[in-house]
């Protein structure tokens, strides 16, 4: 039986602790999903004999992977309450797009390294109703930690920004995203001077 499985960052090479019963050294541990295939957890270490092991998961993303431990050819009984998930994206900084639209740079971590798995959008309230503005043409500038996307023309500030990687979104804090996006403020470059008559 596998009793516990935590989350881990998407870069991989992270230790994940699980608590199987009757586990012996030199056996295998894996995460699997019917839709995403199998991920083999390597470098298995016994932390507490028969009770707790750790292993290194590969780079990846997503949630709700089934955990399997193989002991002497016997596969653990599936426990639907024990699922493995990579940690969600975390946003730390975002640039401001110009009002005519443009690319924004988003810094953080757990962004993955597969651009086809990324969905980025901004949520705004317009006429009292929530609206979603897609941030298109996503790019990975630095795998796992910096991404870019294109926001269309607009104005305003403090809009919730969402990064969804393989179905897993950044987390709301007190009803809002930790990092919000604002369009650039107006910049005055020149002023003409009227006559005294106005």
């Amino acid at each position: 039986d596998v009793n516990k499985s935590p989350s881990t960052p998407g870069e991989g090479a992270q230790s994940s602790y699980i608590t199987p019963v009757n586990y012996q050294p030199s056996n295998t541990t894996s995460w699997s999903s019917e839709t995403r295939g199998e991920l083999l957890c390597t470098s298995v270490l016994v932390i507490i004999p028969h009770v707790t092991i750790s292993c290194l998961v590969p780079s990846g993303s997503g949630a709700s992977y089934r955990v399997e431990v193989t002991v002497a050819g016997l596969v653990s009984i599936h426990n639907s309450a024990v699922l493995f998930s990579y940690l969600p994206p975390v946003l730390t900084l975002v640039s401001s797009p110009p009002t005519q639209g443009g690319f924004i740079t988003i810094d953080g971590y757990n962004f993955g390294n597969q651009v086809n798995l990324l969905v980025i959008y901004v949520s705004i309230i317009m006429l009292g109703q929530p609206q979603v503005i897609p941030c298109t043409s996503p790019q990975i500038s630095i795998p796992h930690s910096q991404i870019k996307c294109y926001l269309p023309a607009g104005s305003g500030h403090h809009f919730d920004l969402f990064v969804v990687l393989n179905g897993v979104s950044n987390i709301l804090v007190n009803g809002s995203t930790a990092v919000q996006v604002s369009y650039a403020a107006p910049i005055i470059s020149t002023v003409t001077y009227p006559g005294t008559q106005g």
Side-chain angles (χ1 to χ4, degrees):
D1 249 352
V2 177
N3 300 322
K4 180 181 179 185
S5 176
S7 300
T8 195
E11 299 97 307
Q14 300 285 332
S15 293
S16 286
Y17 292 89
I18 62 177
T19 308
V21 176
N22 298 326
Y23 185 85
Q24 297 288 342
S26 302
N27 294 298
T28 61
T29 304
S30 64
W31 321 126
S32 66
S33 164
E34 293 180 2
T35 57
R36 292 186 290 270
E38 182 174 282
L39 302 170
L40 185 63
C41 198
T42 60
S43 302
V44 180
L45 295 175
V46 176
I47 306 301
I48 302 175
H50 309 287
V51 177
T52 303
I53 60 174
S54 74
C55 58
L56 300 179
V57 295
S59 174
S61 62
S64 301
Y65 287 90
R66 184 172 57 195
V67 180
E68 292 180 350
V69 176
T70 302
V71 179
L74 297 176
V75 180
S76 58
I77 300 171
H78 175 56
N79 183 345
S80 59
V82 178
L83 298 172
F84 169 81
S85 299
Y86 285 92
L87 291 173
V90 176
L91 285 56
T92 58
L93 186 67
V94 62
S95 62
S96 294
T99 55
Q100 70 265 32
F103 277 91
I104 59 172
T105 299
I106 306 168
D107 292 306
Y109 43 95
N110 298 332
F111 293 156
N113 59 1
Q114 294 179 274
V115 70
N116 61 304
L117 297 179
L118 280 172
V119 175
I120 309 168
Y121 65 93
V122 171
S123 177
I124 68 172
I125 302 298
M126 185 177 293
L127 300 177
Q129 297 296 321
Q131 303 287 332
V132 169
I133 301 176
C135 197
T136 58
S137 305
Q139 303 171 11
I140 296 177
S141 305
I142 303 174
H144 308 288
S145 62
Q146 188 181 84
I147 53 181
K148 294 182 178 181
C149 61
Y150 186 88
L151 269 182
S155 61
H157 56 89
H158 297 142
F159 300 132
D160 285 333
L161 176 63
F162 292 89
V163 174
V164 183
L165 175 63
N166 199 9
V168 179
S169 175
N170 53 304
I171 298 172
L172 292 174
V173 179
N174 296 324
S176 298
T177 56
V179 172
Q180 296 178 317
V181 64
S182 298
Y183 281 90
I187 297 175
I188 300 172
S189 56
T190 60
V191 176
T192 58
Y193 298 96
T196 56
Q197 73 275 21

